[in-house]
Amino acid sequence: MSTQENEHRAASFASEVKEVALTRHPELAGAYAAVEAVDKRASADGFNEQQRAIIEARVRENVSGSIAQGKVPEVSVKEAPQQNAEREHTR
């Protein structure tokens, strides 16, 4: 993809509402998943809302920079351990 397309995608990620950005650029799903995963981890680690907001802003900035460089995070779907155990049990 061209530099201009990457910059447009990064700007969309940085400034548009998630649903609008994903409608225009579905490939950004991994970027949003990455930000959400970091927020969940920060919450689980006991960070308060103000700290989590700072962390999220920094992560979004870093992800936006990566997108501008053509490095869009991808979604990696993992099977839940319980589902995996159930499969083993039924074999």
Side-chain angles (χ1 to χ4, degrees), residues 19-90:
E19 291 76 16
V20 173
L22 285 174
T23 299
R24 294 180 184 179
H25 307 283
E27 66 277 9
L28 294 178
Y32 285 103
V35 172
E36 289 170 10
V38 169
D39 184 54
K40 285 181 183 179
R41 180 58 190 246
S43 179
D45 286 347
F47 289 96
N48 65 38
E49 286 193 38
Q50 183 181 13
Q51 292 167 322
R52 287 179 26 222
I54 292 167
I55 292 167
E56 181 180 346
R58 185 58 177 252
V59 169
R60 288 182 64 82
E61 181 182 320
N62 290 342
V63 171
S64 182
S66 292
I67 294 167
Q69 294 175 3
K71 301 172 189 170
V72 180
E74 295 181 13
V75 176
S76 175
V77 179
K78 294 182 180 181
E79 191 171 313
Q82 182 180 8
Q83 292 172 339
N84 196 17
E86 289 173 4
R87 278 193 183 163
E88 291 298 321
H89 181 64
T90 60

Side-chain angles (χ1 to χ4, degrees), residues 7-20:
E7 289 175 1
H8 185 264
R9 206 175 294 119
S12 181
F13 176 80
S15 64
E16 294 179 338
V17 176
K18 175 182 172 182
E19 291 76 16
V20 173

